[in-house]
């Protein structure tokens, strides 16, 4: 189906050059050196638009806005001879406008990269994915039943102390095991729980399961602390801090064994209420971690006001820091900032030895990611831990 490419660039040599290749690969290529002509025509979903961001008359951002207004469903490839960061912000802008941006290319265009990109896109457009209606979308009723029938469970992912190589903390990540639809990941039901007023009940289940697993480890002298994820809605509920403090007190558990992770963006939405509850929790000995750090809008003064013990650098920066100088600089700044503020620094999304080596050289404290282990059920965790620590003793 994908047979059309529109190439929009004020430089005729560029449109000519790209259309020669497009034709060679079997596409019908249209060239536009005047962006106004391009904006006049209709575009269809099976078309790719290669768009230069630096053109006279109308700039690239304006073209993107106009395409969004026309509800354009073609796939865009953005090009510029300028700084790659400009391309990245334009890419984000496309996302905000619900436009599909395939990739960004700096000039001079790398032809083999373009060829691979088009081939990948063409393949993705072949009808091989199940139709959207085949993806099950849970309702409030389904989630209520899941809570009632104990269909939620936790998987645990180790966090490695970079200095010692030891693991004494795991992050608890919730999953839903549905009798018909199998294992469902949190991105598909946490937003539903938040919208439908079920998040307090869900978080309570998560805490109960985490404490239950934790107690079994702690009784076996396994010093494993647990991190759980909490939602801003939990924090706004004034009973939440009270509930946690009482639970740990009644079960004679040290609060230091539990870390609470809250994302930076959620925190900012509920600033006043967060400050109150989080300060109370911290005063009672729980560790507090800002999750997905770098993706939200926290100002330094906010960081200063809430007594966080830890910064968790978002995995998008960690995963791309080997190819992206900006991401690398962000990771390094987060490590420095956390140390200046006397906080622990955790990097998530550590997928390779190279990632690990960079973090170690920066002085990051903890690392979590597929390089060490994927999240796993509690039953597998103990075996994983003894293997991990055994290797370290003998290696
Ligand atoms: P998160 O807190 O940022 O958790 C990390 C996510 O990254 C997890 O996805 C984890 O499986 C994944 N991950 C870990 N290491 C790597 C890696 O090396 N590479 C890549 N690509 N991914 C990695 P998961 O389990 O699907 O959780 C998604 C999100 O759902 C979590 O993001 C968290 O925001 C939310 N979530 C999970 N459990 C709970 C919960 O009990 N309560 C609440 N409120 N939210 C939860
Ligand atoms: Ca987390
Ligand atoms: Ca995160």
């Amino acid at each position: 189906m994908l047979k059309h490419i529109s190439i929009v660039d004020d430089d005729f040599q560029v449109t000519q050059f790209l259309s020669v290749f497009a034709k060679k690969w079997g596409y019908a290529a249209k060239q536009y050196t005047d962006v106004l002509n391009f904006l006049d025509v209709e575009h269809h979903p099976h078309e790719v638009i290669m768009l230069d961001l630096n053109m006279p008359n109308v700039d690239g951002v304006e073209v993107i806005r106009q395409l969004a207004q026309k509800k354009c469903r073609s796939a865009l490839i953005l090009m510029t001879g300028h700084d790659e960061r400009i391309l990245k912000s334009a890419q984000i802008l496309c996302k905000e406008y619900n436009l599909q941006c395939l990739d960004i290319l700096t000039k001079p265009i790398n032809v083999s990269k373009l060829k691979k990109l088009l081939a990948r896109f063409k393949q993705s457009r072949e009808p091989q994915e199940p139709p959207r209606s085949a993806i099950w979308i849970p309702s409030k009723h389904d989630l209520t039943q899941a809570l009632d029938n104990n269909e939620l469970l936790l998987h645990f992912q180790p966090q490695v102390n970079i200095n010692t190589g030891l693991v004494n903390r795991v992050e608890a990540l919730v999953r839903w095991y549905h009798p018909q639809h199998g294992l469902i990941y949190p991105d598909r039901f946490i937003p539903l729980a938040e919208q439908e007023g079920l998040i307090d009940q869900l978080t309570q289940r998560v805490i109960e399961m985490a404490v239950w697993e934790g107690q079994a480890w702690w009784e076996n002298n396994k010093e494993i602390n647990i991190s759980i994820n909490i939602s801003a809605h939990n924090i706004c509920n004034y009973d939440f801090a009270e509930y946690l403090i009482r639970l740990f007190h009644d079960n004679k558990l040290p609060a230091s064994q539990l870390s609470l992770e809250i994302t930076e963006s959620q925190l900012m939405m509920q600033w006043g209420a967060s400050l109150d509850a989080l300060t109370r929790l911290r005063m009672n000995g729980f560790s507090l971690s800002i999750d997905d750090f770098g993706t939200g809008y926290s100002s330094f003064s906010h960081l200063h006001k809430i007594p966080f013990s830890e910064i968790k650098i978002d995995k998008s920066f960690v995963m791309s820091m080997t190819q992206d100088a900006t991401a690398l600089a962000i990771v390094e700044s987060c490590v420095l900032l956390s140390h200046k503020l006397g906080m622990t620094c955790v990097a998530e999304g550590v997928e390779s030895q190279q990632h690990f080596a960079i973090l170690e050289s920066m002085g990051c404290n903890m690392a979590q990611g597929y390089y060490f282990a994927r999240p796993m059920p509690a039953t597998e965790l103990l075996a994983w831990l003894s293997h991990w620590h055994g290797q370290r003793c003998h290696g």
Side-chain angles (χ1 to χ4, degrees), residues 147-391:
L147 285 160
D148 291 345
N149 299 340
N150 286 332
E151 287 167 11
L152 299 187
L153 53 112
L154 294 182
H155 279 180
F156 297 92
Q157 189 178 31
Q159 297 181 342
V160 177
N161 180 318
I162 297 180
N163 238 338
T164 62
L166 301 178
V167 172
N168 58 7
R169 196 171 68 184
V170 292
E171 177 174 4
L173 295 153
V174 70
R175 270 92 182 95
W176 174 0
Y177 196 81
H178 189 280
Q180 273 95 47
H181 301 285
L183 199 64
I184 301 171
Y185 285 84
D187 291 343
R188 288 204 19 223
F189 60 89
I190 294 288
L192 176 70
E194 288 173 344
Q195 277 154 29
E196 298 293 351
L198 294 169
I199 192 70
D200 282 332
Q201 203 185 336
L202 186 148
T203 305
Q204 204 164 328
R205 280 290 302 138
V206 167
I207 293 169
E208 281 164 12
M209 289 190 285
V211 166
W212 191 78
E213 292 296 351
Q215 260 177 326
W217 299 330
W218 301 326
E219 279 160 17
N220 282 311
N221 292 327
K222 297 262 187 314
E223 294 260 321
I224 310 171
N225 297 343
I226 303 178
S227 271
I228 58 158
N229 294 283
I230 53 170
S231 150
H233 296 70
N234 300 134
I235 286 297
C236 289
N237 178 345
Y238 285 95
D239 297 335
F240 178 74
E242 189 58 43
Y243 157 77
L244 251 188
I245 294 163
R246 188 171 296 278
L247 180 78
F248 272 67
H249 178 264
D250 291 351
N251 288 285
K252 299 192 173 49
L253 297 169
S256 58
Q257 275 165 339
L258 194 74
S259 292
L260 303 169
E261 298 188 3
I262 179 156
T263 64
E264 193 190 14
S265 41
Q266 292 222 347
L267 187 67
M268 292 312 135
M269 273 175 352
Q270 309 289 350
W271 173 246
S274 318
L275 185 61
D276 178 312
L278 293 175
T279 307
R280 248 193 103 198
L281 287 165
R282 187 77 189 103
M283 278 166 60
N284 278 274
F286 295 94
S287 301
L288 297 181
S289 177
I290 317 182
D291 208 350
D292 298 352
F293 191 75
T295 58
Y297 307 93
S298 54
S299 72
F300 291 156
S301 72
H302 282 154
L303 265 186
H304 188 63
K305 281 178 194 143
I306 294 189
F308 278 103
S309 30
E310 180 175 288
I311 281 179
K312 232 177 147 180
I313 312 171
D314 189 64
K315 58 177 175 292
S316 61
F317 303 119
V318 177
M319 283 159 63
S320 56
M321 68 181 174
T322 41
Q323 317 86 269
D324 180 341
T326 312
L328 183 70
I330 292 174
V331 173
E332 193 166 19
S333 312
C334 290
V335 175
L336 275 173
L337 178 69
S338 62
H339 290 169
K340 287 263 179 214
L341 297 175
M343 294 157 82
T344 305
C345 187
V346 184
E348 61 177 17
V350 180
E351 293 194 342
S352 65
Q353 157 64 30
Q354 210 185 346
H355 290 158
F356 182 71
I358 294 173
L359 293 164
E360 190 176 25
S361 72
M362 288 176 180
C364 181
N365 306 100
M366 312 255 279
Q368 176 183 354
Y370 296 167
Y371 176 56
F372 311 107
R374 290 186 177 246
M376 62 190 107
T379 44
E380 283 171 31
L381 183 72
L382 287 184
W384 184 92
L385 282 170
S386 42
H387 178 72
W388 176 264
H389 288 135
Q391 255 184 346

Side-chain angles (χ1 to χ4, degrees), residues 94-109:
C94 287
K95 215 170 153 190
E96 296 282 326
Y97 281 143
N98 278 328
L99 291 170
Q100 185 187 9
C101 176
L102 274 190
D103 208 344
I104 50 182
L105 296 176
T106 42
K107 290 182 185 172
I109 303 295

Side-chain angles (χ1 to χ4, degrees), residues 83-93 104 324-327:
D83 192 338
E84 197 176 327
R85 277 181 306 175
I86 297 175
L87 277 175
K88 289 221 176 100
S89 17
Q91 192 176 26
I92 294 167
L93 188 68
I104 50 182
D324 180 341
T326 312

